[in-house]
Amino acid sequence: MQRLEPTSGPQVSGGIALGMTECQAVQRAGTPGNVAISTGDKGERKVVLTYLSGPWPGIYTFIGGRLNVVERAPEQPKPAKPAPKKTLKKKSSNTAQHELGRTYVQ
């Protein structure tokens, strides 16, 4: 028996169009980030596939096994720039020489 491994990348090139089946869309867009399966208003099967990245990011709603609605994926927040590192000031060599040249009287 052959074991099927999930794939992350698309298996077929090309776009995604209304009327496609769930399998056709997954073959083109790869493994979705989220899958929600429920019942639609008329009792039909409703599947929502969410892709936040990849070649075709978006929210795809299938009703009765066919793509019915395509929505734009929410914008991903841009990573914050790291704060600049503060550099410590070094003692001047003149100060270091004064500290070494001191004599202490007891």
Side-chain angles (χ1 to χ4, degrees), residues 9-87:
Q11 298 295 314
V12 178
S13 62
I16 298 175
L18 294 177
M20 282 186 161
T21 65
E22 299 150 7
C23 293
Q24 289 171 329
V26 170
Q27 285 176 338
R28 291 173 188 250
T31 305
N34 189 33
V35 178
I37 302 172
S38 62
T39 305
D41 296 336
K42 299 177 185 175
E44 70 278 1
R45 180 174 185 242
K46 179 179 177 181
V47 176
V48 178
L49 304 178
T50 304
Y51 293 91
L52 297 178
S53 62
W56 304 104
I59 301 170
Y60 299 91
T61 303
F62 297 83
I63 297 180
R66 297 290 176 170
L67 182 57
N68 194 346
V69 178
V70 179
E71 298 175 51
R72 181 176 290 193
E75 298 262 340
Q76 295 296 317
K78 301 204 180 198
K81 293 183 180 180
K85 294 182 180 180
K86 294 182 179 180
T87 57

